[in-house]
Amino acid sequence: SSSCLGADFAPFQVSADGTIAHLKQLRNRITELSNEVASETDTSALLAKQRRIKHIESDMQFAISKISATHPDRLEEAQSI
């Protein structure tokens, strides 16, 4: 059993597969949070979810910048997630 998603993939220096998989997970989480935001009635919870979405988007941009520098052949795929 793996301790985290990345344990199932080759190191980033060798392959972007783990980072691509992580980007997909992050995109799915943004979709989930966006759906929750649409029906949120508590202002505090709404703001917290919106902040979380922004944080995840920032994490995604950081990962994409690393893919751009290290695995440019996977950049288009990463950007399409």
Side-chain angles (χ1 to χ4, degrees):
S1 133
S2 299
S3 59
C4 69
L5 173 69
D8 293 329
F9 297 93
F12 181 73
Q13 296 83 350
V14 175
S15 171
D17 290 345
T19 304
I20 295 290
H22 185 59
L23 284 168
K24 290 175 182 176
Q25 282 187 331
L26 292 174
R27 176 58 60 205
N28 289 338
R29 185 62 184 135
I30 287 173
T31 300
E32 292 168 1
L33 286 167
S34 295
N35 290 336
E36 292 173 18
V37 162
S39 62
E40 187 60 67
T41 58
D42 179 274
T43 302
S44 176
L46 172 67
L47 293 174
K49 289 174 183 176
Q50 288 173 331
R51 281 191 303 272
R52 183 69 185 133
I53 289 169
K54 293 291 183 195
H55 181 79
I56 294 169
E57 289 171 341
S58 176
D59 288 349
M60 290 181 73
Q61 286 306 311
F62 177 76
I64 289 169
S65 74
K66 293 301 179 181
I67 288 174
S68 175
T70 310
H71 301 285
D73 58 310
R74 303 290 299 273
L75 180 59
E76 187 176 331
E77 177 184 5
Q79 290 174 327
S80 72
I81 296 172

